[in-house]
Amino acid sequence: MDLNRILVPVDGSKKSFQALDRAITLAGFTHGQVTCIHVIPHVLEGGPRTKAFDKQLKEDGEIVLKKASTHAGNKNIKFTTKLLRGSPSHVTLHMAKSGKFDHIVMSTTGAGSASGDMIGSVSNYIIQKSKIPVYLVK
């Protein structure tokens, strides 16, 4: 099983960082690469409030990715982060395909409303549509 290129979507939730920890551990076995993404929505052009909202989304996203980088530390892997725009499920699948990743590692739930034994809508969509293995962390 190749674990050389692992994609990890994070939303800032505790569960998503647990999935990141697992991906880092797995990549460490092969001295692989982990790419951590955070997806923010598209914001339509508008007035000052819209621009302020978009700026806040970007700043919050950068904070999440900085936390992810700190989480990764120096664990004998190559680690990169990307802030992307769009639908988290669609962007994750597009990134997995275009980046030629071996696996997607993600949590079963994130910052949304799913809890307990539920699986979140993003995770559900990705496991249904992904062409590569998806490793879910509960």
Side-chain angles (χ1 to χ4, degrees):
M1 175 165 42
D2 287 333
L3 290 167
N4 296 320
R5 294 180 51 80
I6 301 173
L7 180 63
V8 184
V10 296
D11 62 5
S13 67
K14 182 179 177 182
K15 293 276 189 188
S16 70
F17 281 101
Q18 289 172 347
L20 177 60
D21 287 339
R22 185 66 51 91
I24 291 166
T25 299
L26 292 170
F29 294 133
T30 60
H31 305 289
Q33 174 183 334
V34 172
T35 299
C36 181
I37 62 171
H38 179 74
V39 183
I40 60 174
H42 287 289
V43 177
L44 300 175
E45 295 279 331
R49 287 185 185 168
T50 304
K51 289 178 183 174
F53 177 65
D54 189 50
K55 181 180 178 191
Q56 188 64 52
L57 285 172
K58 288 180 194 174
E59 289 173 359
D60 292 348
E62 292 296 335
I63 290 168
V64 168
L65 292 175
K66 185 172 184 172
K67 184 178 176 185
S69 292
T70 302
H71 232 65
N74 186 9
K75 302 259 171 72
N76 208 18
I77 62 166
K78 184 177 178 189
F79 185 81
T80 58
T81 62
K82 291 186 186 228
L83 182 63
L84 302 168
R85 284 192 181 270
S87 159
S89 52
H90 292 104
V91 169
T92 300
L93 289 174
H94 176 75
M95 184 73 178
K97 184 178 180 181
S98 66
K100 296 183 171 106
F101 288 91
D102 303 319
H103 285 77
I104 299 169
V105 176
M106 63 187 300
S107 60
T108 55
T109 60
S113 61
S115 63
D117 292 335
M118 296 175 71
I119 184 168
S121 59
V122 173
S123 301
N124 186 48
Y125 186 86
I126 290 173
I127 62 172
Q128 298 298 322
K129 303 289 184 181
S130 179
K131 304 284 188 217
I132 61 173
V134 179
Y135 187 121
L136 293 178
V137 176
K138 185 169 180 174

